[in-house]
Amino acid sequence: LRLRFTRGDGAASGEAVLLARSPAMDLAVLAVPPGLLTPVPPAPAPPSPGQPLWAVGAPAAGPAVATGQVAIPATSLAGHGPG
């Protein structure tokens, strides 16, 4: 599956390839052309309770961004494992 996308600032667009997906977790892994997006560096440490977080997605209702706080950083989701 190939998808067309435009970077949020409108400066570039390209084609992404679907590598993997999990409908149960509403998650997809896409490959994009090198240099089109800047990777996010890994966190220096696991999140702490109360730390702010953001989740970006495109549920059936349309693109969405949710905000919240870390409640239980080292938890495991039944049927999905740690994360």
Side-chain angles (χ1 to χ4, degrees):
L1 178 64
R2 295 182 179 276
L3 308 158
R4 293 280 312 160
F5 70 95
T6 301
R7 205 167 73 180
D9 61 5
S13 64
E15 189 173 87
V17 177
L18 178 66
L19 299 179
R21 68 183 185 127
S22 170
M25 294 184 74
D26 191 21
L27 180 68
V29 177
L30 304 174
V32 297
L36 194 60
L37 302 171
T38 303
V40 176
S48 302
Q51 187 174 352
L53 59 85
W54 299 264
V56 180
V65 176
T67 62
Q69 294 181 348
V70 173
I72 307 171
T75 192
S76 183
L77 300 172
H80 301 290

